Amino acid sequence: MPTFVDQTKIEVQAGKGGDGIVAFRHEKYVPNGGPAGGDGGRGGSIIFVADSGLRTLMDFRYRRKFKAENGENGRIKSQYGRGAKDLYLRVPLGTTVYDFNTNEEIGDLTENKQELIVAHGGRGGRGNIHFANSVNTAPEIAENGEPGEDRVLRLELKVLADVGLVGFPSVGKSTLLSVVTKAKPKIGAYDFTTLTPNLGIVILPDGRDFSIADLPGLIEGASQGVGLGIQFLRHIERTKVILHLVSMDPDNGRSAIEDYQKIRKELLSYDQNLGKRREIIVATQMDLPQAADKLAKFKQDLKQAAINEPVYPISSVTHQGIEQLLNNTAILIEQVEQEQAKENIKVSQVIKEYRYEKSKKDEFTIEKLEDHLFEIKGEGLEKLVARTNLDYQDSIIRLARQLKNLGVDEALRKSGAVDGDDVVIGTFNFEFVQ
């Protein structure tokens, strides 16, 4: 049986854009020639694609680094470089992608064939065909390609199911799943029989259907990582309805009401919103002798605890109560979906448009490292330097003009820089001259 992997860390590196080039026309019958350096091609992006055929993140367990191809450099005769192909990586439905360093959620893949760009390829640099003007008709200026995005990601898989089965180990979750669906989970009478979430589809005689997941058994302290712990609690987040199974086995040595309250405590400790999730209490193993007495005591204890939810007694062995449970579950799912649809309408009426505001690219800081040595840091400036081809004097003059227009010269003077001081921007070093 393949290992179930539901969380992993990977690094993705999008492709660098191709460099633009400096070139000139030299055909025999073309007087005066002119600039003819083409642009570089775009670097490949890295794109996740949701695939309903995948069940785990196993593909990312042994390979952790993914790199897209670079764009081709520009060519002579004004020919553009070829753009690189994007790299597509398949992930299972229910995968949420986070930035590992900031914990920012990048995207959530919940529909088959849904795509998410996780690292954008760099733009190709412009060739010298773009820099000719009436003053400089033969510019030796070209841009380097932009580096592709390099990100460390955390992938987290949360099983997509309408219904989640929760309860202590060995309360009959796997048995119930095997009875109501065609799923074939491993079943046994010992703790942690289920080591991976099992998913099945329930199809009712009237044509209604819903997905149901048997989630690994919880124990007290699971939300703090005890036992299988928090690694499986995340799978409950996406369910619309929780079926809370409580064993009526009179010989298991446990109190039914305590079992119920302990699991509820773990769910709320993990996420307070789970307290709002619709729940059906299911009393299992009713075929056992004296199970009815334990059920009566459980109902009395629930009433004393001011819990007025109905209890559905079932037996997965004799199929007692299964039909009623499934019908009522289907009805509750429909109610939840209608409520969620209304909530979505309300949200869309309030939030007309969401815009992500990036930090201003012209912002920079200046730090005096030592006497006569300054370092300038800023995303925009560092990218500007990286895109400048410093092999040509025209390109260097253009960069100096751009830095001045961005206020770098004035900021250096205010920071105490004088003629002859060294200035560093990324990998570029120059001498400050007022």
Side-chain angles (χ1 to χ4, degrees):
M1 181 178 177
T3 303
F4 184 84
V5 179
D6 64 352
Q7 192 171 27
T8 190
K9 169 187 173 184
I10 66 170
E11 182 178 348
V12 291
Q13 170 69 66
K16 173 183 175 295
D19 297 337
I21 69 165
V22 173
F24 298 93
R25 299 179 67 180
H26 296 291
E27 290 104 316
K28 183 177 180 180
Y29 298 105
V30 180
N32 302 324
D39 297 352
R42 181 184 62 84
S45 296
I46 296 182
I47 304 172
F48 284 169
V49 183
D51 187 336
S52 59
L54 296 178
R55 290 289 178 267
T56 80
L57 295 169
M58 188 69 181
D59 291 348
F60 301 97
R61 185 173 186 182
Y62 299 109
R63 184 182 174 192
R64 299 296 180 91
K65 293 186 178 181
F66 299 86
K67 189 178 187 308
E69 295 180 355
N70 297 332
E72 187 181 46
N73 292 338
R75 306 178 187 178
I76 62 173
K77 297 184 180 180
S78 304
Q79 295 178 356
Y80 285 28
R82 184 176 59 250
K85 291 182 179 180
D86 294 329
L87 177 59
Y88 290 86
L89 302 175
R90 298 186 305 141
V91 297
L93 294 183
T95 299
T96 307
V97 184
Y98 298 90
D99 185 288
F100 184 83
N101 297 315
T102 66
N103 211 35
E104 172 195 6
E105 181 178 320
I106 297 172
D108 197 10
L109 295 148
T110 58
E111 298 178 10
N112 193 36
K113 297 183 179 179
Q114 181 182 351
E115 296 186 358
L116 174 68
I117 301 176
V118 294
H120 292 82
R123 293 176 299 170
R126 292 180 295 175
N128 69 332
I129 56 174
H130 294 282
F131 300 102
N133 53 47
S134 58
V135 177
N136 189 355
T137 58
E140 292 189 339
I141 300 173
E143 293 176 335
N144 293 331
E146 186 178 64
E149 288 184 326
D150 185 359
R151 312 185 77 164
V152 179
L153 306 175
R154 187 178 91 252
L155 309 186
E156 192 172 280
L157 175 60
K158 300 172 186 176
V159 170
L160 284 172
D162 298 314
V163 177
L165 303 179
V166 302
F168 269 75
S170 300
V171 296
K173 298 188 300 298
S174 298
T175 306
L176 176 61
L177 183 71
S178 68
V179 169
V180 301
T181 75
K182 292 183 179 180
K184 297 180 180 179
K186 182 180 177 183
I187 299 171
Y190 48 89
D191 286 356
F192 302 128
T193 300
T194 304
L195 298 178
T196 69
N198 294 302
L199 191 65
I201 302 295
V202 175
I203 302 177
L204 301 180
D206 60 7
R208 289 178 297 171
D209 62 67
F210 56 86
S211 57
I212 183 168
D214 161 27
L215 303 174
L218 302 178
I219 62 174
E220 191 172 9
S223 59
Q224 280 74 48
V226 176
L228 294 179
I230 202 168
Q231 61 177 310
F232 290 119
L233 275 165
R234 72 172 63 92
H235 297 295
I236 302 172
E237 290 182 40
R238 296 190 191 274
T239 58
K240 299 182 178 77
V241 173
I242 294 174
L243 292 192
H244 192 150
L245 276 59
V246 183
S247 172
M248 294 298 113
D249 181 358
D251 299 323
N252 64 9
R254 299 200 308 265
S255 163
I257 187 65
E258 288 181 6
D259 280 3
Y260 173 79
Q261 290 175 331
K262 285 176 181 178
I263 295 297
R264 287 290 300 175
K265 180 182 177 182
E266 293 309 318
L267 296 178
L268 294 174
S269 296
Y270 174 72
D271 185 348
Q272 285 291 325
N273 289 324
L274 292 178
K276 304 174 185 176
R277 197 67 42 89
R278 303 296 289 274
E279 179 188 68
I280 294 177
I281 303 174
V282 184
T284 66
Q285 300 169 326
M286 290 303 300
D287 55 286
L288 297 175
Q290 299 180 328
D293 295 338
K294 189 167 183 176
L295 173 61
K297 177 69 164 58
F298 179 45
K299 288 182 176 179
Q300 183 180 358
D301 291 338
L302 286 172
K303 189 174 182 180
Q304 289 180 352
I307 300 170
N308 300 314
E309 297 291 337
V311 179
Y312 293 81
I314 68 165
S315 168
S316 297
V317 175
T318 65
H319 293 195
Q320 169 195 345
I322 297 290
E323 183 178 350
Q324 182 185 5
L325 173 64
L326 296 181
N327 280 325
N328 286 10
T329 300
I331 292 170
L332 187 55
I333 290 171
E334 291 172 356
Q335 293 175 359
V336 172
E337 290 175 342
Q338 290 172 2
E339 292 169 1
Q340 289 178 342
K342 290 179 181 178
E343 286 298 319
N344 289 337
I345 291 173
K346 290 179 182 178
V347 170
S348 64
Q349 289 173 344
V350 175
I351 303 176
K352 297 296 184 182
E353 184 178 2
Y354 173 77
R355 291 182 179 178
Y356 173 71
E357 295 185 2
K358 292 186 177 181
S359 59
K360 295 180 180 179
K361 290 189 175 182
D362 292 344
E363 293 180 348
F364 60 89
T365 59
I366 297 178
E367 180 182 356
K368 186 174 183 179
L369 301 180
E370 56 185 68
D371 288 344
H372 307 297
L373 178 61
F374 294 82
E375 182 178 24
I376 303 177
K377 291 185 178 180
E379 179 186 355
L381 288 187
E382 290 175 31
K383 282 187 176 181
L384 176 63
V385 170
R387 285 175 61 84
T388 301
N389 188 330
L390 301 174
D391 293 334
Y392 296 96
Q393 186 63 28
D394 284 0
S395 295
I396 296 174
I397 293 172
R398 177 171 177 265
L399 174 61
R401 186 166 59 248
Q402 290 174 312
L403 293 177
K404 182 177 181 180
N405 292 338
L406 290 171
V408 172
D409 289 9
E410 181 64 27
L412 282 168
R413 278 193 290 271
K414 289 182 179 179
S415 298
V418 297
D419 285 355
D421 285 354
D422 292 322
V423 181
V424 178
I425 305 177
T427 58
F428 178 52
N429 299 277
F430 67 92
E431 184 179 308
F432 180 62
V433 178
Q434 300 195 53

mmCIF file with all atom_site columns, all heavy atoms in Angstrom, residues 7-21:
data_model
loop_
_atom_site.group_PDB
_atom_site.id
_atom_site.type_symbol
_atom_site.label_atom_id
_atom_site.label_alt_id
_atom_site.label_comp_id
_atom_site.label_asym_id
_atom_site.label_entity_id
_atom_site.label_seq_id
_atom_site.pdbx_PDB_ins_code
_atom_site.Cartn_x
_atom_site.Cartn_y
_atom_site.Cartn_z
_atom_site.occupancy
_atom_site.B_iso_or_equiv
_atom_site.pdbx_formal_charge
_atom_site.auth_seq_id
_atom_site.auth_comp_id
_atom_site.auth_asym_id
_atom_site.auth_atom_id
_atom_site.pdbx_PDB_model_num
ATOM 1   N N   . GLN A 1 7  ? 1.513  16.370 3.535   1.00 0.00 ? 7  GLN A N   1
ATOM 2   C CA  . GLN A 1 7  ? 2.180  17.655 3.751   1.00 0.00 ? 7  GLN A CA  1
ATOM 3   C C   . GLN A 1 7  ? 3.635  17.516 3.334   1.00 0.00 ? 7  GLN A C   1
ATOM 4   O O   . GLN A 1 7  ? 4.282  16.518 3.657   1.00 0.00 ? 7  GLN A O   1
ATOM 5   C CB  . GLN A 1 7  ? 2.082  18.068 5.213   1.00 0.00 ? 7  GLN A CB  1
ATOM 6   C CG  . GLN A 1 7  ? 2.484  19.522 5.460   1.00 0.00 ? 7  GLN A CG  1
ATOM 7   C CD  . GLN A 1 7  ? 2.165  19.970 6.886   1.00 0.00 ? 7  GLN A CD  1
ATOM 8   O OE1 . GLN A 1 7  ? 2.128  19.158 7.791   1.00 0.00 ? 7  GLN A OE1 1
ATOM 9   N NE2 . GLN A 1 7  ? 1.926  21.246 7.071   1.00 0.00 ? 7  GLN A NE2 1
ATOM 10  N N   . THR A 1 8  ? 4.134  18.500 2.598   1.00 0.00 ? 8  THR A N   1
ATOM 11  C CA  . THR A 1 8  ? 5.522  18.422 2.164   1.00 0.00 ? 8  THR A CA  1
ATOM 12  C C   . THR A 1 8  ? 6.040  19.822 1.844   1.00 0.00 ? 8  THR A C   1
ATOM 13  O O   . THR A 1 8  ? 5.265  20.766 1.680   1.00 0.00 ? 8  THR A O   1
ATOM 14  C CB  . THR A 1 8  ? 5.674  17.503 0.932   1.00 0.00 ? 8  THR A CB  1
ATOM 15  O OG1 . THR A 1 8  ? 7.047  17.257 0.675   1.00 0.00 ? 8  THR A OG1 1
ATOM 16  C CG2 . THR A 1 8  ? 5.047  18.128 -0.309  1.00 0.00 ? 8  THR A CG2 1
ATOM 17  N N   . LYS A 1 9  ? 7.354  19.930 1.761   1.00 0.00 ? 9  LYS A N   1
ATOM 18  C CA  . LYS A 1 9  ? 8.031  21.197 1.468   1.00 0.00 ? 9  LYS A CA  1
ATOM 19  C C   . LYS A 1 9  ? 8.832  21.018 0.189   1.00 0.00 ? 9  LYS A C   1
ATOM 20  O O   . LYS A 1 9  ? 9.550  20.033 0.025   1.00 0.00 ? 9  LYS A O   1
ATOM 21  C CB  . LYS A 1 9  ? 8.950  21.570 2.629   1.00 0.00 ? 9  LYS A CB  1
ATOM 22  C CG  . LYS A 1 9  ? 9.903  22.722 2.367   1.00 0.00 ? 9  LYS A CG  1
ATOM 23  C CD  . LYS A 1 9  ? 10.879 22.873 3.526   1.00 0.00 ? 9  LYS A CD  1
ATOM 24  C CE  . LYS A 1 9  ? 11.963 23.889 3.240   1.00 0.00 ? 9  LYS A CE  1
ATOM 25  N NZ  . LYS A 1 9  ? 12.966 23.975 4.321   1.00 0.00 ? 9  LYS A NZ  1
ATOM 26  N N   . ILE A 1 10 ? 8.685  21.950 -0.748  1.00 0.00 ? 10 ILE A N   1
ATOM 27  C CA  . ILE A 1 10 ? 9.428  21.877 -2.003  1.00 0.00 ? 10 ILE A CA  1
ATOM 28  C C   . ILE A 1 10 ? 9.957  23.261 -2.369  1.00 0.00 ? 10 ILE A C   1
ATOM 29  O O   . ILE A 1 10 ? 9.515  24.280 -1.826  1.00 0.00 ? 10 ILE A O   1
ATOM 30  C CB  . ILE A 1 10 ? 8.565  21.345 -3.172  1.00 0.00 ? 10 ILE A CB  1
ATOM 31  C CG1 . ILE A 1 10 ? 7.440  22.339 -3.512  1.00 0.00 ? 10 ILE A CG1 1
ATOM 32  C CG2 . ILE A 1 10 ? 7.997  19.969 -2.864  1.00 0.00 ? 10 ILE A CG2 1
ATOM 33  C CD1 . ILE A 1 10 ? 6.705  22.004 -4.797  1.00 0.00 ? 10 ILE A CD1 1
ATOM 34  N N   . GLU A 1 11 ? 10.913 23.283 -3.311  1.00 0.00 ? 11 GLU A N   1
ATOM 35  C CA  . GLU A 1 11 ? 11.449 24.542 -3.827  1.00 0.00 ? 11 GLU A CA  1
ATOM 36  C C   . GLU A 1 11 ? 11.192 24.593 -5.331  1.00 0.00 ? 11 GLU A C   1
ATOM 37  O O   . GLU A 1 11 ? 11.417 23.607 -6.041  1.00 0.00 ? 11 GLU A O   1
ATOM 38  C CB  . GLU A 1 11 ? 12.941 24.652 -3.561  1.00 0.00 ? 11 GLU A CB  1
ATOM 39  C CG  . GLU A 1 11 ? 13.548 25.980 -4.042  1.00 0.00 ? 11 GLU A CG  1
ATOM 40  C CD  . GLU A 1 11 ? 15.034 26.102 -3.738  1.00 0.00 ? 11 GLU A CD  1
ATOM 41  O OE1 . GLU A 1 11 ? 15.550 25.273 -2.972  1.00 0.00 ? 11 GLU A OE1 1
ATOM 42  O OE2 . GLU A 1 11 ? 15.661 27.024 -4.298  1.00 0.00 ? 11 GLU A OE2 1
ATOM 43  N N   . VAL A 1 12 ? 10.693 25.716 -5.802  1.00 0.00 ? 12 VAL A N   1
ATOM 44  C CA  . VAL A 1 12 ? 10.429 25.878 -7.226  1.00 0.00 ? 12 VAL A CA  1
ATOM 45  C C   . VAL A 1 12 ? 11.220 27.068 -7.755  1.00 0.00 ? 12 VAL A C   1
ATOM 46  O O   . VAL A 1 12 ? 11.302 28.109 -7.107  1.00 0.00 ? 12 VAL A O   1
ATOM 47  C CB  . VAL A 1 12 ? 8.917  26.064 -7.510  1.00 0.00 ? 12 VAL A CB  1
ATOM 48  C CG1 . VAL A 1 12 ? 8.156  24.780 -7.229  1.00 0.00 ? 12 VAL A CG1 1
ATOM 49  C CG2 . VAL A 1 12 ? 8.336  27.221 -6.714  1.00 0.00 ? 12 VAL A CG2 1
ATOM 50  N N   . GLN A 1 13 ? 11.810 26.900 -8.917  1.00 0.00 ? 13 GLN A N   1
ATOM 51  C CA  . GLN A 1 13 ? 12.606 27.955 -9.554  1.00 0.00 ? 13 GLN A CA  1
ATOM 52  C C   . GLN A 1 13 ? 12.108 28.126 -10.981 1.00 0.00 ? 13 GLN A C   1
ATOM 53  O O   . GLN A 1 13 ? 12.287 27.252 -11.830 1.00 0.00 ? 13 GLN A O   1
ATOM 54  C CB  . GLN A 1 13 ? 14.087 27.573 -9.565  1.00 0.00 ? 13 GLN A CB  1
ATOM 55  C CG  . GLN A 1 13 ? 14.979 28.484 -10.407 1.00 0.00 ? 13 GLN A CG  1
ATOM 56  C CD  . GLN A 1 13 ? 15.140 29.877 -9.828  1.00 0.00 ? 13 GLN A CD  1
ATOM 57  O OE1 . GLN A 1 13 ? 15.723 30.036 -8.779  1.00 0.00 ? 13 GLN A OE1 1
ATOM 58  N NE2 . GLN A 1 13 ? 14.625 30.884 -10.522 1.00 0.00 ? 13 GLN A NE2 1
ATOM 59  N N   . ALA A 1 14 ? 11.441 29.248 -11.241 1.00 0.00 ? 14 ALA A N   1
ATOM 60  C CA  . ALA A 1 14 ? 10.982 29.532 -12.598 1.00 0.00 ? 14 ALA A CA  1
ATOM 61  C C   . ALA A 1 14 ? 12.176 29.890 -13.480 1.00 0.00 ? 14 ALA A C   1
ATOM 62  O O   . ALA A 1 14 ? 13.251 30.259 -12.986 1.00 0.00 ? 14 ALA A O   1
ATOM 63  C CB  . ALA A 1 14 ? 9.968  30.671 -12.582 1.00 0.00 ? 14 ALA A CB  1
ATOM 64  N N   . GLY A 1 15 ? 11.989 29.785 -14.772 1.00 0.00 ? 15 GLY A N   1
ATOM 65  C CA  . GLY A 1 15 ? 13.078 30.032 -15.709 1.00 0.00 ? 15 GLY A CA  1
ATOM 66  C C   . GLY A 1 15 ? 13.417 31.512 -15.857 1.00 0.00 ? 15 GLY A C   1
ATOM 67  O O   . GLY A 1 15 ? 12.553 32.385 -15.755 1.00 0.00 ? 15 GLY A O   1
ATOM 68  N N   . LYS A 1 16 ? 14.686 31.783 -16.108 1.00 0.00 ? 16 LYS A N   1
ATOM 69  C CA  . LYS A 1 16 ? 15.155 33.156 -16.363 1.00 0.00 ? 16 LYS A CA  1
ATOM 70  C C   . LYS A 1 16 ? 14.763 33.555 -17.784 1.00 0.00 ? 16 LYS A C   1
ATOM 71  O O   . LYS A 1 16 ? 14.760 32.741 -18.704 1.00 0.00 ? 16 LYS A O   1
ATOM 72  C CB  . LYS A 1 16 ? 16.668 33.210 -16.197 1.00 0.00 ? 16 LYS A CB  1
ATOM 73  C CG  . LYS A 1 16 ? 17.328 34.527 -16.593 1.00 0.00 ? 16 LYS A CG  1
ATOM 74  C CD  . LYS A 1 16 ? 18.837 34.432 -16.457 1.00 0.00 ? 16 LYS A CD  1
ATOM 75  C CE  . LYS A 1 16 ? 19.529 35.703 -16.964 1.00 0.00 ? 16 LYS A CE  1
ATOM 76  N NZ  . LYS A 1 16 ? 19.342 35.915 -18.417 1.00 0.00 ? 16 LYS A NZ  1
ATOM 77  N N   . GLY A 1 17 ? 14.442 34.809 -17.951 1.00 0.00 ? 17 GLY A N   1
ATOM 78  C CA  . GLY A 1 17 ? 14.180 35.317 -19.293 1.00 0.00 ? 17 GLY A CA  1
ATOM 79  C C   . GLY A 1 17 ? 15.466 35.381 -20.100 1.00 0.00 ? 17 GLY A C   1
ATOM 80  O O   . GLY A 1 17 ? 16.552 35.609 -19.552 1.00 0.00 ? 17 GLY A O   1
ATOM 81  N N   . GLY A 1 18 ? 15.355 35.180 -21.397 1.00 0.00 ? 18 GLY A N   1
ATOM 82  C CA  . GLY A 1 18 ? 16.531 35.268 -22.254 1.00 0.00 ? 18 GLY A CA  1
ATOM 83  C C   . GLY A 1 18 ? 17.049 36.697 -22.360 1.00 0.00 ? 18 GLY A C   1
ATOM 84  O O   . GLY A 1 18 ? 16.291 37.667 -22.213 1.00 0.00 ? 18 GLY A O   1
ATOM 85  N N   . ASP A 1 19 ? 18.337 36.853 -22.599 1.00 0.00 ? 19 ASP A N   1
ATOM 86  C CA  . ASP A 1 19 ? 18.936 38.185 -22.720 1.00 0.00 ? 19 ASP A CA  1
ATOM 87  C C   . ASP A 1 19 ? 18.658 38.776 -24.096 1.00 0.00 ? 19 ASP A C   1
ATOM 88  O O   . ASP A 1 19 ? 18.697 38.079 -25.115 1.00 0.00 ? 19 ASP A O   1
ATOM 89  C CB  . ASP A 1 19 ? 20.448 38.120 -22.519 1.00 0.00 ? 19 ASP A CB  1
ATOM 90  C CG  . ASP A 1 19 ? 20.837 37.637 -21.130 1.00 0.00 ? 19 ASP A CG  1
ATOM 91  O OD1 . ASP A 1 19 ? 20.012 37.763 -20.203 1.00 0.00 ? 19 ASP A OD1 1
ATOM 92  O OD2 . ASP A 1 19 ? 21.973 37.140 -20.970 1.00 0.00 ? 19 ASP A OD2 1
ATOM 93  N N   . GLY A 1 20 ? 18.372 40.075 -24.107 1.00 0.00 ? 20 GLY A N   1
ATOM 94  C CA  . GLY A 1 20 ? 18.351 40.781 -25.384 1.00 0.00 ? 20 GLY A CA  1
ATOM 95  C C   . GLY A 1 20 ? 19.795 40.995 -25.844 1.00 0.00 ? 20 GLY A C   1
ATOM 96  O O   . GLY A 1 20 ? 20.718 40.969 -25.030 1.00 0.00 ? 20 GLY A O   1
ATOM 97  N N   . ILE A 1 21 ? 20.003 41.196 -27.120 1.00 0.00 ? 21 ILE A N   1
ATOM 98  C CA  . ILE A 1 21 ? 21.377 41.327 -27.606 1.00 0.00 ? 21 ILE A CA  1
ATOM 99  C C   . ILE A 1 21 ? 21.578 42.637 -28.369 1.00 0.00 ? 21 ILE A C   1
ATOM 100 O O   . ILE A 1 21 ? 20.626 43.286 -28.807 1.00 0.00 ? 21 ILE A O   1
ATOM 101 C CB  . ILE A 1 21 ? 21.786 40.136 -28.497 1.00 0.00 ? 21 ILE A CB  1
ATOM 102 C CG1 . ILE A 1 21 ? 21.016 40.169 -29.828 1.00 0.00 ? 21 ILE A CG1 1
ATOM 103 C CG2 . ILE A 1 21 ? 21.579 38.821 -27.793 1.00 0.00 ? 21 ILE A CG2 1
ATOM 104 C CD1 . ILE A 1 21 ? 21.636 39.251 -30.881 1.00 0.00 ? 21 ILE A CD1 1
#
